[in-house]
Amino acid sequence: MARIESLSLLTTDDAKLYLTELYGNVIANVMRSLTSARMKNKDLSGDPRSGSVVAKRFANATPKDYGTARAAGNGEKIKAEEVVVMIDDDKEFVEEIEEKDIKLGGVDGLMSRRSSNHVLRMAAYLDTKFYKCAADNATKIEVDLAAGAVEEVLESCIQEVENTKNAFVDGVPRQMIHMVLNSTWYGKIRNSLDKQVRSNVDTGDEEFYVWHGVEVVSSINLPAGCPFILMVDGAVAQPVMSDQYTAEKIPLSNAWAISLFYHNGTSVVTPDLIFTPVQSGAEKGSAAKYRNVQTGNILHVSNALTKKLVSKSTQYTTVA
């Protein structure tokens, strides 16, 4: 479409169409920019406009001897955990544009630059919130972060996720696991791969996507002090609603306000399938300690649901 030369044209049909297209590009680019997008729980029910949605998780079925249901007169009830995700975090981008500011490039040039910034800031905010929720509810695995070889530390943690067993989980395939690393640990893996004779990874590429069968991504939005997070598809839910760009004349001025509002909520759905490392002997506090009898790893569990599941599973023993 032709360049929008004046802010006073923002209420015309062409300009409204432009703002709609710009909004569509922002939302599409936010989803592409989110490193957490592929990990989010998308199996949500309910109407987000009501202020909340629900994630359900069903327990494993247990085989019974033939005739059990006939003798009892009924089958087993399906057991499920329900997590209500409140969409209670309201955010906005509201920026003023003066008429004189468009003389160098027109409204569309200026808005394109601002919308690009909105993409970056919205994605960074959602990713940061997503990973904080994951880290706050994660089970911590004792490892030697200081002296342990990077490949041994990571493989030990991957095996811990892989060997998760409780009422809802009977092991986790590696293709369902995501590993999100801070820049330091991502660099450690790259350096380790660079030293291998045949790593099958181009050292010139920024990403290598998969390591030991686990999807890998680097993020600068992990909480401070968190080297990496391992989680399974759908461990955290983060529904997002947004309104289209709108333009509004500011009274008694020669300026316009361009606004974008969005609403989100972030909740953990499967905390027992989120893990972070902790230096052996360094963890203090009231978290319960367990040992995985299969891997031998010591685990620190603070999430209430994870404690309940772990305490009832034969896969784990209590550590004093």
Side-chain angles (χ1 to χ4, degrees), residues 20-305:
T20 299
E21 292 173 350
L22 197 63
Y23 164 78
N25 290 334
V26 166
I27 300 307
N29 289 333
V30 164
M31 295 312 296
R32 283 195 290 267
S33 300
L34 286 171
T35 59
S36 60
R38 295 188 299 275
M39 310 171 205
K40 292 182 181 180
N41 191 307
K42 300 176 180 66
D43 189 17
L44 304 173
S45 60
D47 186 351
R49 292 173 296 181
S50 68
S52 66
V53 291
V54 175
K56 288 186 178 180
R57 183 187 189 193
F58 297 95
N60 287 327
T62 303
K64 303 291 184 181
D65 293 334
Y66 178 75
T68 300
R70 178 178 293 182
N74 59 269
E76 281 196 296
K77 302 294 184 183
I78 298 176
K79 299 177 182 178
E81 288 282 346
E82 188 175 277
V83 177
V84 177
V85 185
M86 301 299 298
I87 304 176
D88 55 2
D89 186 13
D90 305 315
K91 297 297 177 183
E92 65 181 36
F93 293 112
V94 180
E95 298 185 328
E96 295 184 17
I97 302 178
E98 290 286 347
E99 183 80 33
K100 65 178 182 180
D101 292 335
I102 60 101
K103 291 181 179 179
L104 294 177
V107 175
D108 47 353
L110 180 60
M111 281 301 300
S112 293
R113 292 194 296 272
R114 295 314 304 148
S115 66
S116 296
N117 181 259
H118 296 166
V119 168
L120 295 174
R121 299 317 307 148
M122 187 174 174
Y125 177 80
L126 293 173
D127 262 353
T128 299
K129 190 175 178 184
F130 180 93
Y131 293 129
K132 183 180 186 306
C133 178
D136 287 347
N137 291 278
T139 296
K140 296 181 179 179
I141 310 168
E142 283 196 8
V143 290
D144 190 353
L145 291 170
V150 58
E151 60 271 16
E152 293 179 2
V153 170
L154 293 176
E155 180 59 26
S156 175
C157 292
I158 291 172
Q159 289 184 22
E160 187 58 46
V161 185
E162 199 174 21
N163 284 278
T164 300
K165 289 192 175 184
N166 56 52
F168 292 89
V169 183
D170 190 17
V172 180
R174 291 199 175 203
Q175 62 264 30
M176 291 181 63
I177 303 173
H178 300 269
M179 180 162 57
V180 188
L181 306 102
N182 67 13
S183 56
T184 300
W185 275 79
Y186 191 83
K188 287 184 178 182
I189 298 183
R190 288 307 308 249
N191 289 338
S192 174
L193 290 172
D194 291 347
K195 295 173 185 177
Q196 297 179 21
V197 178
R198 298 180 64 185
S199 66
N200 294 323
V201 174
D202 186 348
T203 58
D205 291 338
E206 179 182 353
E207 297 178 306
F208 52 91
Y209 302 109
V210 177
W211 191 82
H212 288 196
V214 172
E215 185 175 320
V216 175
V217 66
S218 173
S219 177
I220 61 171
N221 294 314
L222 292 185
C226 179
F228 58 87
I229 299 175
L230 284 157
M231 67 175 71
V232 172
D233 286 328
V236 175
Q238 190 181 58
V240 181
M241 298 171 54
S242 56
D243 303 327
Q244 290 194 0
Y245 270 112
T246 58
E248 183 179 6
K249 186 73 167 66
I250 299 175
L252 303 178
S253 73
N254 198 25
W256 287 71
I258 307 297
S259 57
L260 171 66
F261 299 89
Y262 67 97
H263 322 278
N264 68 94
T266 308
S267 295
V268 65
V269 178
T270 59
D272 52 308
L273 294 175
I274 307 175
F275 296 83
T276 58
V278 64
Q279 177 63 40
S280 300
E283 182 67 7
K284 307 295 182 183
S286 58
K289 292 176 67 174
Y290 299 90
R291 183 189 301 275
N292 187 321
V293 297
Q294 182 67 35
T295 63
N297 289 327
I298 302 297
L299 309 176
H300 298 256
V301 182
S302 56
N303 180 274
L305 175 58

